[in-house]
Amino acid sequence: DAKTTQPNSMESNEEEPVHLPCNHSTISGTDYIHWYRQLPSQGPEYVIHGLTSNVNNRMASLAIAEDRKSSTLILHRATLRDAAVYYCILSDRPFGNEKLTFGTGTRLTIIP
Amino acid sequence: DADVTQTPRNRITKTGKRIMLECSQTKGHDRMYWYRQDPGLGLRLIYYSFDVKDINKGEISDGYSVSRQAQAKFSLSLESAIPNQTALYFCATGDGGTEAFFGQGTRLTVV
């Protein structure tokens, strides 16, 4: 399975944009990129996913490099509620809820 | 009410005891999963089920068993608990779509 590499931790100021990077240099052409986050004392929750094109939803944006070897999750205006562990996950299926393989993720701290 | 409910939320048990963790979901999904989370190791898949008659081993199934009693219910059992099974356990559901939905977790301590 292709692996992902994320920074262990990041900090950001409240109300500023946050860019969470993910490297996946061994990604295959059919791998989808999924992002989940885990709030304190909660189970993980879906954030966004994409294949080649950049994606936007109400929670975040996903920017995918042209060579697909990296991607960036963008939170446009961080709030205290966005403090969580963010997981970047690859799946060889278009719909990622089958046997998701979680790494250790990036712990995002929001500074008031 | 939560879409995915896990019981109990916290449990302390003794080495060698049998324990069952229960999961129920109101999403109407066919697919259900059990994950284990240890500090610094992320979540790892224990077992998964794509329908009532389907059970599959995940990455770390040794020492665990599961039962899919109904579409909405998926239980995880530790037949003889050991201390290294102390962890946070998550149940999840999915319909083959874009999202998996997770419960709030069961914190299990084996002493």
Side-chain angles (χ1 to χ4, degrees), chain A residues 36 38 87 95 97-98 100 104, chain B residues 31 33 37 40 96-97 99-100:
Chain A
Y36 277 73
Q38 187 173 15
Y87 298 97
F95 303 117
N97 69 17
E98 297 180 14
L100 296 169
T104 55
Chain B
R31 305 175 186 216
Y33 309 80
Q37 184 172 35
E99 295 185 49

Side-chain angles (χ1 to χ4, degrees), chain B residues 36-39 64 83-89 106-109:
Chain B
R36 166 178 172 160
Q37 184 172 35
D38 297 279
Y64 301 94
N84 77 0
Q85 290 178 313
T86 293
L88 189 55
Y89 290 85
T106 295
R107 186 169 299 279
L108 176 66
T109 303

Side-chain angles (χ1 to χ4, degrees), chain A residues 34 36 38 41-46 49 87 94-104, chain B residues 31 33 35 37 40-43 45 48 50 90 94-100 102-104:
Chain A
H34 299 262
Y36 277 73
Q38 187 173 15
S41 302
Q42 303 273 342
E45 63 177 359
Y46 168 84
H49 82 288
Y87 298 97
F95 303 117
N97 69 17
E98 297 180 14
K99 299 187 293 178
L100 296 169
T101 300
F102 288 80
T104 55
Chain B
R31 305 175 186 216
Y33 309 80
Y35 287 87
Q37 184 172 35
L41 291 179
L43 282 79
L45 183 64
Y48 62 102
F50 283 174
F90 287 101
D95 63 356
T98 57
E99 295 185 49
F102 285 79
Q104 292 200 304

Side-chain angles (χ1 to χ4, degrees), chain B residues 6-111:
Chain B
Q6 293 183 231
T7 56
R9 292 293 312 279
N10 290 282
R11 180 73 181 268
I12 300 174
T13 192
K14 294 184 178 180
T15 298
K17 293 290 188 181
R18 183 179 187 274
I19 183 169
M20 178 182 289
L21 309 183
E22 298 187 346
C23 176
S24 63
Q25 52 107 350
T26 59
K27 299 290 290 183
H29 292 165
D30 287 327
R31 305 175 186 216
M32 298 189 73
Y33 309 80
W34 274 104
Y35 287 87
R36 166 178 172 160
Q37 184 172 35
D38 297 279
L41 291 179
L43 282 79
R44 292 179 291 168
L45 183 64
I46 306 172
Y47 270 96
Y48 62 102
S49 168
F50 283 174
D51 64 39
V52 175
K53 297 181 180 179
D54 176 76
I55 300 290
N56 303 282
K57 293 183 178 180
E59 181 186 353
I60 53 164
S61 60
D62 287 348
Y64 301 94
S65 63
V66 290
S67 173
R68 185 78 184 268
Q69 300 97 322
Q71 184 200 40
K73 296 185 182 296
F74 193 36
S75 300
L76 176 72
S77 293
L78 287 68
E79 296 300 328
S80 180
I82 56 177
N84 77 0
Q85 290 178 313
T86 293
L88 189 55
Y89 290 85
F90 287 101
C91 175
T93 74
D95 63 356
T98 57
E99 295 185 49
F101 295 85
F102 285 79
Q104 292 200 304
T106 295
R107 186 169 299 279
L108 176 66
T109 303
V110 183
V111 298

Side-chain angles (χ1 to χ4, degrees), chain A residues 12-111:
Chain A
S12 180
N13 294 320
E14 192 178 10
E15 299 185 3
E16 291 187 355
V18 181
H19 291 235
L20 295 160
C22 181
N23 288 318
H24 27 78
S25 59
T26 60
I27 191 171
S28 75
T30 56
D31 279 340
Y32 284 71
I33 302 159
H34 299 262
W35 284 82
Y36 277 73
R37 73 179 185 180
Q38 187 173 15
L39 301 172
S41 302
Q42 303 273 342
E45 63 177 359
Y46 168 84
V47 178
I48 201 167
H49 82 288
L51 181 61
T52 56
S53 302
N54 294 344
V55 184
N56 300 296
N57 67 19
R58 64 176 180 80
M59 289 182 69
S61 296
L62 176 60
I64 301 172
E66 192 170 344
D67 64 5
R68 302 208 329 124
K69 292 183 183 299
S70 65
S71 60
T72 302
L73 179 70
I74 302 166
L75 307 179
H76 294 286
R77 188 168 171 272
T79 68
L80 295 177
R81 195 190 175 279
D82 292 320
V85 178
Y86 286 78
Y87 298 97
C88 170
I89 300 164
L90 301 183
S91 171
D92 63 359
R93 300 168 188 270
F95 303 117
N97 69 17
E98 297 180 14
K99 299 187 293 178
L100 296 169
T101 300
F102 288 80
T104 55
T106 297
R107 183 172 298 277
L108 176 64
T109 300
I110 303 299
I111 302 168

